[in-house]
């Protein structure tokens, strides 16, 4: 009986040892595999997010650069527009038929404005002189340009020099025909040479967030454009525009981080 019990105990110990020797390495392997897999999945998610953001950044950058191009087109005198604005400011056409000369000059300016805005992103371009004379590429029933001189940001623009521009940011849409399409607009302003007036370029915010929405519908990624104060400038959900981004502490320059939101882990990725 003593020998039998000893053999049974020995076999039990041997079996237990065998199980331990098999299970422990397997468990360690599983833990390591899960850890490495988790890191690999995270790295892939970060890589995908960064690639998407680079595409978005390119689209947004090109849109904003086009707005600056329009400012430069009017500001730089290579097309002769600036000297014509000087004549409209002085009101001296130096001919026996000033009404006709003024008509020709106005037609020339409008033609150049139409030509500049024909390509690229749809944009509203307005030039308004300090004496109230204005030129634009849209109908006056869409928006009355004379209201620009009463805008609260005009004093900020008056303090700018040369090619410095003032980004008004996102504001409620003032162009009548676009209010139902885009509740918000994005505007940039610059002073004319000689401080004779202002150049104003406006696009609809929807031109930016429509691109965000296309990516979100395919890839399921939420994309937004923030200003330097982490306030939302553009979002596929227009109700979010103007709100503070609630997870700004998780943002890292040109990086990504995992943030726990409502008990779930979210990858937050950013490009500056």
């Amino acid at each position: 009986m003593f020998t039998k019990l000893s053999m049974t105990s020995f076999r039990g110990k041997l079996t237990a040892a065998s199980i331990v020797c098999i299970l422990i390495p397997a468990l360690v392997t599983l833990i390591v595999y899960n850890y490495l897999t988790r890191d690999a999945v995270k790295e892939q998610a970060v890589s995908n997010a960064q690639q998407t953001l680079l595409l978005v950044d390119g689209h947004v950058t090109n849109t904003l650069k086009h707005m600056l191009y329009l400012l430069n087109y009017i500001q730089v005198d290579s097309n002769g527009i600036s000297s014509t604005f000087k004549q409209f400011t002085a009101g001296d056409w130096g001919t026996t038929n000033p009404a006709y000369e003024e008509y020709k000059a106005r037609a020339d300016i409008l033609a150049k404005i139409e030509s500049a805005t024909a390509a690229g992103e749809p944009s509203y371009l307005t030039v308004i002189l300090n004496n109230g004379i204005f030129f634009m590429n849209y109908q006056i029933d869409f928006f009355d340009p004379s209201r620009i001189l009463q805008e609260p940001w005009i004093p900020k623009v008056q303090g700018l020099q040369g090619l410095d521009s003032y980004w008004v940011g996102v504001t409620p849409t003032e162009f009548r025909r676009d209010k139902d399409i885009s509740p918000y607009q994005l505007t940039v302003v610059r002073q004319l040479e000689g401080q004779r007036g202002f150049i104003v370029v406006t696009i609809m915010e929807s031109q930016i967030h429509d691109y965000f929405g296309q990516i979100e519908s395919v890839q399921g990624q939420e994309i937004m454009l923030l200003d330097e104060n982490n306030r939302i400038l553009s979002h596929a959900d227009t109700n979010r525009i103007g709100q503070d981004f609630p997870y700004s502490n998780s943002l890292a320059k040109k990086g990504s981080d995992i943030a726990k939101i409502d008990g779930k882990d979210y990858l937050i990725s950013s490009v500056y």
Side-chain angles (χ1 to χ4, degrees):
M1 178 65 72
F2 177 81
T3 303
K4 186 176 181 180
L5 286 175
S6 297
M7 289 298 297
T8 302
S9 177
F10 176 74
R11 288 177 181 175
K13 290 179 180 180
L14 182 62
T15 301
S18 300
I19 293 174
V20 169
C21 290
I22 294 173
L23 287 182
I24 290 180
L27 183 60
V28 171
T29 301
L30 181 61
I31 292 173
V32 172
Y33 175 78
N34 287 339
Y35 180 81
L36 294 176
T37 301
R38 182 183 62 185
D39 282 354
V41 169
K42 178 182 176 181
E43 288 177 5
Q44 186 61 49
V46 169
S47 176
N48 292 342
Q50 286 295 313
Q51 291 178 13
T52 299
L53 280 179
L54 288 176
L55 291 175
V56 171
D57 181 59
H59 173 78
V60 173
T61 298
N62 288 337
T63 299
L64 301 183
K65 280 185 175 180
H66 180 67
M67 297 175 72
L68 294 177
Y69 159 76
L70 294 176
L71 292 180
N72 293 336
Y73 180 85
I74 300 298
Q75 182 79 353
V76 178
D77 199 32
S78 59
N79 48 44
I81 291 182
S82 183
S83 59
T84 307
F85 291 144
K86 185 176 180 180
Q87 287 182 292
F88 273 101
T89 300
D92 182 11
W93 297 95
T95 67
T96 57
N97 193 351
Y100 176 67
E101 292 299 324
E102 181 178 347
Y103 167 79
K104 281 202 312 180
R106 176 177 288 276
D108 181 60
I109 290 175
L110 293 177
K112 289 177 178 178
I113 289 177
E114 288 289 346
S115 175
T117 56
E121 291 284 341
S123 307
Y124 291 114
L125 194 158
T126 308
V127 178
I128 184 164
L129 306 180
N130 293 330
N131 59 11
I133 296 175
F134 51 77
F135 313 87
M136 70 283 196
N137 66 334
Y138 51 89
Q139 299 176 22
I140 196 169
D141 60 333
F142 293 168
F143 172 71
D144 182 3
S146 63
R147 294 168 51 190
I148 291 176
L149 294 178
Q150 279 73 52
E151 291 288 353
W153 38 259
I154 284 292
K156 297 180 181 179
V157 184
Q158 289 173 330
L160 301 179
Q161 300 292 330
L163 299 179
D164 291 340
S165 305
Y166 178 73
W167 290 92
V168 177
V170 175
T171 57
T173 299
E174 297 188 60
F175 289 84
R176 187 173 293 109
R177 73 171 183 175
D178 292 300
K179 287 185 176 182
D180 293 335
I181 302 172
S182 179
Y184 297 95
Q185 63 185 33
L186 178 63
T187 299
V188 61
V189 191
R190 186 183 292 171
Q191 275 206 107
L192 280 171
E193 182 184 359
Q195 299 181 339
R196 298 186 183 93
F198 306 92
I199 317 165
V200 184
V201 177
T202 298
I203 66 169
M204 294 299 106
E205 180 275 331
S206 60
Q207 293 170 230
I208 296 177
H209 85 231
D210 283 350
Y211 187 71
F212 295 172
Q214 293 172 16
I215 294 177
E216 289 181 21
S217 63
V218 175
Q219 301 186 17
Q221 298 172 336
E222 183 182 10
I223 303 171
M224 63 192 75
L225 177 66
L226 308 179
D227 65 11
E228 68 276 10
N229 298 315
N230 292 323
R231 192 163 42 245
I232 299 175
L233 292 178
S234 185
H235 195 288
D237 180 2
T238 55
N239 293 321
R240 300 280 302 278
I241 295 175
Q243 296 179 2
D244 292 330
F245 181 62
Y247 312 108
S248 56
N249 292 335
S250 299
L251 292 177
K253 289 188 175 181
K254 295 185 179 179
S256 303
D257 197 7
I258 301 294
K260 189 171 289 295
I261 302 172
D262 296 331
K264 296 182 180 180
D265 288 336
Y266 287 83
L267 173 65
I268 298 180
S269 190
S270 58
V271 172
Y272 283 71

